[in-house]
């Protein structure tokens, strides 16, 4: 039962929020070239302001297309990657940086 490893590399500037096993572990602006890595036992909730600006890996495998399909709002477990339920996302996660505005 290995931990989940979530890795994000920024291609361009964007804002992210990462919750690992129910605990907020990151809420920050990423700049081009920034690389971040987090571990969780059960799941991640991830919000990416502009998902096309990052490369997202789960245990070394790209999941960037899932982020694009779900507008950068994901719940990630060993069994699935699905859209993050707005009702369960903490209010602090729903804010976006002005940099991510269209």
């Amino acid at each position: 039962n290995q931990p989940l490893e979530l890795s994000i590399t920024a291609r361009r500037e964007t804002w992210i929020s990462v919750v690992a096993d129910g605990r907020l572990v990151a809420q920050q602006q990423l700049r081009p070239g920034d690389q971040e890595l987090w571990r969780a036992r059960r799941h991640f909730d991830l919000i990416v302001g502009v998902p096309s600006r990052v490369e997202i890996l789960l245990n070394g495998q790209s999941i960037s297309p899932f982020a694009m399909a779900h507008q950068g709002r994901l719940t990630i477990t060993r069994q699935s990657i699905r859209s993050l339920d707005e009702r369960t996302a903490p209010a602090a996660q729903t804010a976006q940086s002005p940099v991510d505005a269209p």
Side-chain angles (χ1 to χ4, degrees):
N1 199 8
Q2 295 181 330
L4 298 168
E5 279 192 354
L6 182 69
S7 170
I8 296 182
T9 302
R11 293 186 197 119
R12 293 182 54 204
E13 192 166 338
T14 192
W15 179 89
I16 63 163
S17 175
V18 181
V19 174
D21 296 331
R23 197 173 125 242
L24 182 66
V25 294
Q27 192 168 44
Q28 66 195 64
Q29 195 74 24
L30 294 180
R31 290 177 176 61
D34 283 355
Q35 295 180 330
E36 299 289 340
L37 175 72
W38 302 275
R39 289 183 178 85
R41 291 192 179 275
R42 297 180 316 273
H43 75 279
F44 287 104
D45 291 332
L46 173 65
I47 299 173
V48 180
V50 183
S52 64
R53 295 182 179 181
V54 297
E55 175 67 23
I56 305 169
L57 303 177
L58 179 65
N59 296 338
Q61 301 296 313
S62 177
I63 62 165
S64 295
F66 288 99
M68 296 293 284
H70 296 294
Q71 292 79 46
R73 302 179 64 83
L74 304 173
T75 294
I76 303 163
T77 67
R78 279 182 187 73
Q79 296 78 25
S80 69
I81 299 171
R82 63 184 191 278
S83 183
L84 178 65
D85 186 345
E86 299 261 347
R87 294 168 299 179
T88 60
Q93 292 182 17
T94 59
Q96 286 193 6
S97 166
V99 170
D100 292 331

